Amino acid sequence: MLEDKILVLDFGSQYTQLIARRVRENNVYSEIFPYNTPFEKIRNFDPKGIILSGGPSSVYGKGAPIPDLKIFDLGVPILGICYGMQLMAHMLGGKVAKAAKREYGRAELIIDDNSDLFSGIPPHPPLTKGGSRGGELRTIVWMSHGDRIEKYPAGFTPIAHTENSPVAAMANRKRQFYALQFHPEVVHTEKGREIIRNFVFRICGSKPVWTMKSFIETAKKEIREKVGNRRVVCGISGGVDSAVTAVLVHEAIGDALTCIFVDNGVLRQDEAKKVEGMLKKSFHMKIKYVDASGRFLKKLKGIKDPERKRKIIGNEFIRVFEEEAMKIKNVNFLAQGTLYPDVIESTSFKGPSATIKSHHNVGGLLKKMKLKLIEPLRELFKDEVRVLGHELGMPDEVINRHPFPGPGLAIRCISDITKTRLDILRKADVIVLEEIRAAGLYDKIWQVFAVLLPVKSVGVMGDERTYDNVIAVRAVTSVDGMTADWAQIPYDVLGKISNRIINEVRGVNRVVYDISSKPPSTIEWE
Ligand code: XMP
């Protein structure tokens, strides 16, 4: 790729991915490398600028992550954030010490020099009683540090301070090195976006040419070159990532792509039909629909343990997929919707402990069939995949779908899985989704679904006593599924959902709403 690139070196901050996203929002490509990436690789990447991320370590601590000193001689601008700032001070001859007072959270930054990094930040109305002087450039930033700069390295001057940090930002203009004690990448830093923009454009001189359009063209070309006249197989699940992967690969190589949709018997109602319909009708793709529900349900019979359910479904999926893929002649590649966060998790600072999360574990398949991987989304974040889907003309309904777990309804049908129980769950699930959509809440919620509990409760319908199933409704808000809060759905919407389920779904006489956050609960019940 010929576009300008900003390299983010990762020192283990929880915000590292956010830095790359903020850069990309400006149509400048950004990639994250682990802090100990060999210098050669960094030089070959040819970055227009480097950002050193924050991190939990202290530069003087045992085993503190230290990058190759030669990065400072590359001749490109460098921005250090938090740990990145201390690292710069430490490596370039300054002094870092434990701060007398640790600073976490909101702080008021007073800008002493707004000639480049802080350019264009307007004066903030004074916030501290009596403390501020009129006309001062003040802005709210997000701090999180325990160390501070005691002596800055030669050539640096302070460009901003806070009440507790005399050097909250420093610069060496000659070498184009900048450092911030706070996090410009988080939304709590009011002018964070402007600061990153200033670094990317004013200081690094990048050009904003990385757009989804250019991404699509490059990706298509690369796929074509890689595949040649061979064939590609792609498993689709109804999820956004696999659907966008399939459409993109199809745009590149047309009918040399065969998609396989495995119905594992634990899909939502009409799921297979909807996805198949969209991909076939709008994109004229070749799709092999494989109804393997009988096989899966037989294997799942009598299984109550959630992890065993997951294993059975994962293994059976590989078997079915393999059988179908083997039938395709001349197939050499498997296209998969791996995203950038999965890639970084397996290679970054955190080390290889977190292995690549693939929707279905296809490792064995690759070996046995000697398939090579095509992962055209491996440089993208989830929200970028959605933009890409839009650009490819995919409907909102597919692009904005809530995540759906690989083991599907098997882990929402608590305890025993039978066809009757799955049917009850499916009907209740449809009503939940219909009412959430009708209330305009679908896009505000991370996931919403019904869970069929393994308890029966007493009810009364008409004059008759009933002893029937309980449905739990689960709806959560979240940014990444790692933490989540239960969604505050209006009572009238919950009331409608409950009424409809009890009236329309035979076998259910009670509906409850799950009001647990994650942690300590999880999103799924199993
Ligand atoms: P939990 O229940 O762990 O879920 O809070 C977090 C997110 O992961 C999804 N999930 C899964 N996805 N296979 C998947 O593909 C699984 O086995 C699985 N278990 C949970 C869940 O739907 C939520 O989005």
Side-chain angles (χ1 to χ4, degrees), residues 105 110 120 133 200 244 264 339 358 363 381 403 420 433 521:
I110 300 145
R133 273 153 285 148
V200 170
V244 174
N264 58 12
L339 302 193
S358 57
F381 291 108
T420 316
L433 282 171
S521 303

Side-chain angles (χ1 to χ4, degrees), residues 305-344:
D305 178 66
E307 285 315 299
R308 279 197 67 202
K309 288 180 181 176
R310 281 189 170 83
K311 279 222 172 72
I312 290 172
I313 292 171
N315 290 340
E316 200 58 21
F317 174 83
I318 292 175
R319 263 185 226 124
V320 176
F321 192 89
E322 190 177 89
E323 284 170 22
E324 292 304 319
M326 293 270 212
K327 293 180 194 161
I328 306 166
K329 281 203 189 93
N330 200 15
V331 60
N332 271 79
F333 296 93
L334 174 75
Q336 192 170 269
T338 313
L339 302 193
Y340 198 43
D342 307 332
V343 174
I344 311 167

Side-chain angles (χ1 to χ4, degrees), residues 114-131:
N114 68 341
S115 54
D116 44 18
L117 195 59
F118 298 126
S119 164
I121 297 179
H124 193 284
L127 285 164
T128 47
K129 273 188 209 145

Side-chain angles (χ1 to χ4, degrees), residues 310 359 405-407 446-447 481 518 522-524:
R310 281 189 170 83
H359 188 63
W446 170 262
Q447 268 175 304
K518 172 185 178 176
T522 51
I523 296 176
E524 304 289 347

Side-chain angles (χ1 to χ4, degrees), residues 307 310 357-360 402-408 411-412 446-447 449 474 476 480-484 518 521-526:
E307 285 315 299
R310 281 189 170 83
K357 183 184 71 182
S358 57
H359 188 63
H360 298 286
H402 291 170
F404 185 67
I411 54 168
R412 294 178 181 172
W446 170 262
Q447 268 175 304
F449 52 87
R474 180 70 162 147
V476 295
D480 51 14
M482 304 292 283
T483 58
K518 172 185 178 176
S521 303
T522 51
I523 296 176
E524 304 289 347
W525 276 47
E526 280 197 336

Side-chain angles (χ1 to χ4, degrees), residues 90-112:
H90 178 62
M91 292 180 81
L92 299 174
K95 196 157 178 263
V96 179
K98 281 252 161 300
K101 199 170 155 197
R102 302 198 315 173
E103 263 185 307
Y104 288 100
R106 192 176 192 276
E108 197 182 4
L109 184 82
I110 300 145
I111 297 170
D112 303 310

